Amino acid sequence: MSGQGVWLRARERLRRFPELLAGCRDQAAAYGKCVAATTTGPAELRKDVCTKEFEALKECFTQAAKKTMK
């Protein structure tokens, strides 16, 4: 049994990543701003600080990926 199919599917998902990211630019920008704002100066990023923004970005990626699979 070969694992080649797994690698082909993974490679295809990675190939589509820039397209998915472009479709979610607003959510990615909001998440990036949150991370940047919470790590300015000596502060370190803490768990759950940008959860809302991350969840919005994750949901956008999920929806975009579902649309491209159809």
Side-chain angles (χ1 to χ4, degrees):
M1 188 168 175
S2 172
Q4 184 178 6
V6 171
W7 292 110
L8 291 174
R9 288 189 306 272
R11 189 177 306 139
E12 177 62 22
R13 283 193 304 268
L14 287 174
R15 187 190 63 74
R16 288 191 339 244
F17 185 77
E19 177 184 331
L20 298 177
L21 184 60
C24 297
R25 66 179 156 265
D26 294 338
Q27 293 83 352
Y31 179 64
K33 286 178 185 176
C34 179
V35 169
T38 59
T39 58
T40 55
E44 292 185 16
L45 185 62
R46 288 176 284 125
K47 184 178 178 182
D48 298 331
V49 173
C50 299
T51 301
K52 182 179 82 171
E53 292 83 355
F54 177 78
E55 289 299 326
L57 179 58
K58 185 173 92 171
E59 179 65 23
C60 183
F61 275 151
T62 302
Q63 293 304 316
K66 285 180 183 178
K67 288 179 188 175
T68 61
M69 294 303 289
K70 292 181 180 179

